[in-house]
Each structure stands twice: as C-alpha cells, then as structure tokens.
Amino acid sequence: MQRPRSLSRRTVLAQALRTGPAALAWTLLSPKLAQAGMQVEEPLVDSARTALSSAIHQSAPPVPAFAQDSARQQYARWLDSMAQRLHKRKADALDHKEFLPTVWYESKRAGLDVGLVLGLIQVESNFRKFAISVAGARGYMQVMPFGTRLIGDGDPATLFHMQTNLRFGCVILRHYLDKENGDLFLALGRYNGSRGQQPYPNAVLAARRGWEL
C-alpha cells in the first residue's frame, strides 16, 4: 500500500489494539511498522481456487537442481552476492543459508524474478519474519490471513513459517500477474490493494534494482 501518513503513537497503538494482541505486541516492540500487503479479498471461481490451492499444497523441498554446471555456478555466485547484501541489512536473527535458497526456489517455482520478490519483501516487511501490519498482514511477504482461508488450511499462524509465507506470497503475486495479463505495475498494485496507483509499484521496482546480480 502507499506509505502511510504520519500517525501519532496513540493512534497507531489504538489501531493495533483493535487488530489484536499480536499486532499490538509487534507495534510495541518495533518503532517502524511494516508496510502492509493489503490484498483485497476477491471472489474466486472454482477453477482459480483449485489451481491456487494446488500450488500452495504441492510440497517440495527448496533444493535447486541444475542440468548444467554453468547454471549451478551462476546460482552459487548469486547466493554469495545476495548473502553479502542481506547481511548488511539483517546481520542477525535471519538464517541466510535457509532464507535465500527458499526465496530463490519459491520465486522460480512461481515463474517470478527473484530480484522482484526480494524487492517486494524489502518494501513489505524489511525482511522481518514476524512482521505484522496494522491491517493484520503477516510475515516476510505480508500475506493477509484471509488467504489461508481461501486457498490454505485456514490457520493464519502458518504465515509465520518461512516457506509457507514465501509460497503464499509468490503464488498470490503470480495469480495477480496472470490476472493482469502480465502487467507488472497493475499486478503489484493489486498485491498491495492499491491497483493503478504509483507509489507502491514504484517502491518495489526501485528496491528490485538493489537485488540484481
């Protein structure tokens, strides 16, 4: 969503309290609120619901497989470069060895550019696993809890599991990209609940440049 207007601490706490105790706890612990991924709950035709649900539930470990040595070497260079960049942003409380391969795997699985997904995560949660927005969006990719009810098991707590959160976020973004006939600007706006507005897509695309190899 667009960057929020400056709110008083009292207003932010009141909003968090209405959202629930988890949001309130995060607000008290963090001086900087996450930028919420305010996806709008939309009715899904049965075929779309089935396809999304299938994409979410197909289990596979995030272990890359390469047919050629050159591809394997390129991945190793990417991993090393991204780990150095991520370390500057998040020196602790994040296992780079697990996080980056999972981002790579889930992005490729959904047919998305990995730099785009990293840029989105940067804008949405600033790489905070347990980020909760005032609106209730959760985790790295700030997935709204209704997503688990539409295409998951209905338990929003699972959105704090790293691979689950990344899979939901990537599958949802892929769905919006398909829905917008490949228009990335509109797809990003839809992901954020600000379709057609410039601030959010521009922020993600700018952040994306920092994750290009």
Side-chain angles (χ1 to χ4, degrees):
M1 72 180 182
Q2 301 182 50
R3 292 186 180 276
R5 296 188 301 272
S6 178
L7 299 176
S8 70
R9 183 69 168 172
R10 180 177 298 178
T11 300
V12 171
L13 289 175
Q15 291 175 336
L17 183 59
R18 287 196 297 271
T19 304
L24 177 60
W26 175 255
T27 301
L28 291 171
L29 289 172
S30 175
K32 182 179 179 181
L33 293 176
Q35 290 197 44
M38 300 255 313
Q39 301 98 9
V40 177
E41 184 170 0
E42 303 174 1
L44 294 174
V45 298
D46 288 343
S47 59
R49 186 190 303 275
T50 299
L52 288 170
S53 180
S54 176
I56 289 296
H57 287 99
Q58 287 174 1
S59 60
V63 178
F66 304 102
Q68 299 178 340
D69 288 341
S70 58
R72 185 180 298 105
Q73 292 168 0
Q74 184 178 13
Y75 172 74
R77 288 195 298 271
W78 175 86
L79 198 61
D80 181 65
S81 178
M82 296 305 110
Q84 292 181 42
R85 299 180 203 185
L86 188 59
H87 183 75
K88 294 177 182 178
R89 292 181 169 276
K90 198 72 172 174
D92 51 34
L94 183 62
D95 186 349
H96 301 176
K97 292 182 180 179
E98 183 181 3
F99 177 76
L100 286 171
T102 306
V103 171
W104 188 92
Y105 178 86
E106 294 299 335
S107 300
K108 295 292 186 180
R109 182 179 180 274
L112 299 172
D113 176 68
V114 186
L116 173 67
V117 174
L118 285 168
L120 186 147
I121 294 172
Q122 178 181 325
V123 171
E124 286 288 349
S125 68
N126 200 25
F127 300 97
R128 293 175 294 190
K129 181 177 182 179
F130 297 104
I132 302 177
S133 76
V134 172
R138 301 185 176 203
Y140 291 120
M141 297 189 74
Q142 289 291 274
V143 179
M144 292 293 283
F146 67 73
T148 62
R149 175 170 48 79
L150 288 175
I151 56 177
D153 60 7
D155 181 6
T158 60
L159 295 176
F160 291 127
H161 178 268
M162 181 183 62
Q163 187 173 4
T164 299
N165 185 276
L166 296 174
R167 177 161 297 186
F168 263 91
C170 288
V171 166
I172 290 169
L173 181 56
R174 177 76 259 172
H175 171 65
Y176 289 151
L177 194 58
D178 292 342
K179 194 176 182 69
E180 297 292 354
N181 298 312
D183 190 316
L184 182 57
F185 180 86
L186 292 179
L188 288 171
R190 189 181 286 274
Y191 186 94
N192 180 255
S194 59
R195 184 180 184 274
Q197 300 179 34
Q198 294 184 3
Y200 180 81
N202 287 348
V204 172
L205 294 175
R208 175 193 197 177
R209 291 194 288 272
W211 298 100
E212 294 175 345
L213 187 60

